[in-house]
Amino acid sequence: MSKTNKIVLRIQSADGTKRVETEPSCTIKALYELVRGVCGFDSFEFALFRERNFTKEIVSSGSQEVKDIGLKHGDIVYLRLVDGPSTSKAAERSASVNSLASSHSSSLSNASFSREPTPSTSSKPSGAAAVSATESVLPEEDAVDLELSKCDGRIHRNRDEKLCRHNLKGCCVHCSALEPWDENYLKEQKIKHFSFHSYLKKLTSGAARGKFVALEDLNCKIKSGCRDHPPWPKGICSKCQPSAITLNRQTYRHVDNVMFENTGIVERFLNYWRTTGHQRIGFLFGKYEIHPDVPLGIRARVAAIYEPPQESNRDSIRLLDDPHDADVDELARQLGLQRVGWIFTDLLSENLSSGTVKHVRNIKTHFLTAQECILAGHLQNKYPNRCKASSNGYFGSKFVTVCVTGDEKKQVHMEGYAVSAQCMALVRDNCLIPTKDAPELGYIRESSGKQYVPDVYYKVSGT
């Protein structure tokens, strides 16, 4: 074959871009062998993709040719390392799931909320990690996510009688629809964070229309497989070293509101504290639905609270192994419910006759302790959010935290929270631990011979 029939493909990976010269009639299997030789790999522990966000995998085949999959001269092929040889979408998916499951396992032995964590990679109604190795597609998103992805979320405004100079059918800057992430509108409506789907719309609103958008979870561990030096602690380089982390306020949230279907659900949960004076933990079962008060928002509707086996006193709670955990999830699934969060009490009586409680959580003390943030991060990692914009099918979590405590008027009050993706990553990779003397402060582990911990920075506001 003449040289003019040969084509050059660009192979882009984390180490840079390399070029491979091949022919349109070359098989995909032979293409994998060329890439392995050019990149200097000892094995086929990598996969090739057509898209930057690692979708549309190029499956190794001895019968399919380069021209059959539409590759032309000058095209870019994206390379990603996997745990084992990837010759099909099913194998690549299985490797990603196994890696995710192992990274979601973290220890909480230092926290007063002690429970052996169980790896999970799915937020299905049962809460169990049951992704088959034969699956070749990403997990299906929740029904509310599928519904919101079809909405544009634009905020429509009526014609302003004072500022608009056009007729009823016209439109101007004073009455045109606003984007769901418009800061001025959110500030007027006293919405602190825009919704996750508004965040996705913002990412895909540019000229590229989200072509290069790929949501990836933060990684706090050393990348394995670096051949330039001995493994840690004998060596480390910029290619395998995780980046330093600067703690920032997360601009979006996955769930915008938590609503209980009736007051009896909470009253039954609080009866234990009213009777014994001991604190209590429960898991929230319900559904996710569209929240009408926030553009493209999601609301968690709670239908039941399940109280697992636990030991508690006035100041602490210890979760015990639950032999009925799987049965509860299966029963909830048959009822059309799923785990949407967890709830705990922090109530101290002040005056029994008037029924008031102490106001201990505020801006001068803390809203959540480090132990509670770590447990929240562990649970959010256990029940991740299914997202098609992520390469592994999961990003963030819709699992909420509800704290029952005293408010400024010394009445029983509930507040909803969720930790950020940065906190989830620090908890998942076992970098964050609580402190003994200051419950509001967390401590970042020091690097040791067994674990490298990246530097974590934070900014102090002068106001």
Side-chain angles (χ1 to χ4, degrees), residues 48-317:
L48 302 178
F49 301 86
R50 294 294 305 274
E51 300 293 340
R52 184 185 294 269
N53 59 352
F54 301 115
T55 57
K56 298 183 180 180
E57 181 183 354
I58 301 175
V59 182
S60 179
S61 172
S63 58
Q64 197 172 29
E65 298 179 350
V66 171
K67 62 183 179 182
D68 296 334
I69 61 175
L71 287 176
K72 302 183 295 298
H73 178 72
D75 283 354
I76 300 179
V77 176
Y78 300 95
L79 181 147
R80 183 176 67 173
L81 297 176
V82 294
D83 293 339
S86 177
T87 57
S88 68
K89 290 185 179 180
E92 190 274 331
R93 177 72 188 115
S94 177
S96 298
V97 169
N98 292 335
S99 174
L100 185 66
S102 62
S103 66
H104 280 177
S105 178
S106 59
S107 174
L108 293 174
S109 59
N110 293 326
S112 62
F113 300 96
S114 59
R115 182 184 186 185
E116 288 298 319
T118 56
S120 175
T121 61
S122 174
S123 60
K124 293 190 292 186
S126 64
V131 180
S132 173
T134 59
E135 289 181 0
S136 59
V137 296
L138 295 179
E140 184 179 358
E141 294 180 315
D142 290 332
V144 65
D145 294 314
L146 295 174
E147 188 174 353
L148 287 174
S149 63
K150 301 175 184 178
C151 305
D152 61 3
R154 294 175 67 87
I155 305 163
H156 298 281
R157 298 185 294 175
N158 297 325
R159 181 176 179 274
D160 194 309
E161 297 295 338
K162 295 182 179 179
L163 300 177
C164 296
R165 304 298 181 184
H166 51 77
N167 56 27
L168 295 177
K169 295 184 179 180
C171 185
C172 66
V173 295
H174 303 294
C175 61
S176 59
L178 300 175
E179 298 293 349
W181 62 85
D182 186 81
E183 294 183 2
N184 293 329
Y185 175 82
L186 297 178
K187 188 178 297 184
E188 292 175 359
Q189 301 298 319
K190 297 181 180 180
I191 301 174
K192 294 182 179 180
H193 305 79
F194 49 79
S195 63
F196 178 65
H197 279 270
S198 296
Y199 174 70
L200 292 179
K201 296 290 184 182
K202 185 176 182 180
L203 292 179
T204 57
S205 63
R209 307 300 296 176
K211 181 179 180 181
F212 304 105
V213 172
L215 300 178
E216 299 291 343
D217 288 323
L218 184 67
N219 180 37
C220 304
K221 290 185 177 181
I222 295 177
K223 295 180 181 178
S224 60
C226 187
R227 299 181 177 88
D228 295 340
H229 54 77
W232 174 265
K234 295 182 179 180
I236 193 172
C237 67
S238 58
K239 291 189 294 184
C240 61
Q241 178 183 3
S243 302
I245 301 171
T246 300
L247 300 180
N248 294 311
R249 177 178 177 269
Q250 188 167 292
T251 57
Y252 64 89
R253 56 190 178 189
H254 288 270
V255 175
D256 303 278
N257 181 263
V258 181
M259 183 182 71
F260 292 83
E261 288 189 349
N262 58 74
T263 58
I265 299 173
V266 181
E267 291 298 325
R268 286 192 297 269
F269 177 70
L270 293 178
N271 282 339
Y272 181 85
W273 170 78
R274 293 190 178 107
T275 304
T276 65
H278 295 179
Q279 309 304 330
R280 197 70 171 165
I281 276 183
F283 287 105
L284 307 177
F285 283 84
K287 299 179 180 179
Y288 296 111
E289 60 185 15
I290 295 178
H291 185 36
D293 297 334
V294 177
L296 298 179
I298 294 178
R299 176 169 59 196
R301 177 189 288 269
V302 179
I305 299 177
Y306 169 65
E307 301 176 33
Q310 55 193 279
E311 295 177 352
S312 63
N313 54 40
R314 180 177 176 271
D315 301 314
S316 64
I317 309 172

